[in-house]
Amino acid sequence: AELGRSPPGVAARLSAAPTDVVLEFSEPVSASFATVLVTTAGGVAVTRGRPAVAGARITQALSSGLDAGAYRVAFRVVSADGHPVTGESGFTLLLASSASPSTSAASDSTR
């Protein structure tokens, strides 16, 4: 089995946090041995639960509230003929700054 597509895509630059990553292989993979790990640049895992396997497609849920930054997607699966397949990709999350101007009035001590 070879990795075909992997939305959000290798080296994708996203403006909104994905809720999951999807790996699509050239042939079905074993649900028993599928592992997907998504981590921050600091090595903190952001995956939630076990991956869902449907034939040649694996979907891995991600934690909510991802911070801006680089993420690594590493996988290990076993193809239909019993061969292990490993690899990795990644994406970068670019979030707009949530900083907003202060709504409190600045005190003016010169009055």
Side-chain angles (χ1 to χ4, degrees), residues 9-104:
V10 176
R13 298 172 66 82
L14 308 174
S15 59
T19 57
D20 55 33
V21 293
V22 177
L23 305 173
E24 295 178 6
F25 292 88
S26 59
E27 63 184 60
V29 296
S30 171
S32 301
F33 301 107
T35 303
V36 179
L37 181 61
V38 181
T39 56
T40 65
V44 176
V46 295
T47 50
R48 194 169 39 107
R50 294 192 40 82
V53 178
R57 182 181 173 107
I58 300 175
T59 304
Q60 175 62 62
L62 300 178
S63 301
S64 60
L66 298 181
D67 293 327
Y71 290 84
R72 177 178 171 250
V73 179
F75 64 86
R76 183 180 190 284
V77 299
V78 175
S79 66
D81 63 3
H83 288 95
V85 178
T86 60
E88 66 179 62
S89 67
F91 62 90
T92 300
L93 184 55
L94 306 169
L95 297 175
S97 174
S98 60
S100 60
S102 175
T103 56
S104 62

